[in-house]
Amino acid sequence: MSTSNNRSTNDTENEVLGAGAGNSTEKDPDDWVTGDEPMTGAQRSYLDTLAREAGETISADLTKAEASEEIDRLQKKSGRG
C-alpha cells in the first residue's frame, strides 16, 4: 500500500501555527520533570545579564524552574518580556 503526500483529514486540520496560535508547549516551571535540576549554562548566562541590568544579585545555585521564574520576573522588570 502506498502513502500519499496529500494532506489528510485528522484532528490537526484546524490547528494553526505562528502568531495567535498560543503556546501549547509552554509549561509552568513547577510542573517540569527536570525542574529540580541545576539551572542550565544558558539560563545562568542570561540571568547574569538580566540581573546586572536590573542592578540585582541572584543566587547562583538555582534550579531550572527557579531560574526560569527569575528570568520571567527580570524580563518583565526590564521590559524585555
Side-chain angles (χ1 to χ4, degrees), residues 19-62:
N23 187 350
S24 62
T25 60
E26 187 172 315
K27 285 184 165 181
D28 184 324
D30 291 333
D31 296 331
W32 292 359
V33 174
T34 62
D36 60 347
E37 293 178 1
M39 72 175 132
T40 66
Q43 284 177 311
R44 183 183 182 105
S45 176
Y46 191 42
L47 263 177
D48 183 49
T49 299
L50 290 172
R52 286 174 190 268
E53 288 177 359
E56 294 188 23
T57 57
I58 297 173
S59 174
D61 65 348
L62 300 177

Side-chain angles (χ1 to χ4, degrees), residues 3-29:
T3 52
S4 170
N5 287 338
N6 293 340
R7 189 175 201 176
S8 64
T9 304
N10 58 34
D11 291 339
T12 62
E13 186 172 299
N14 295 321
E15 188 175 3
V16 295
L17 301 173
N23 187 350
S24 62
T25 60
E26 187 172 315
K27 285 184 165 181
D28 184 324

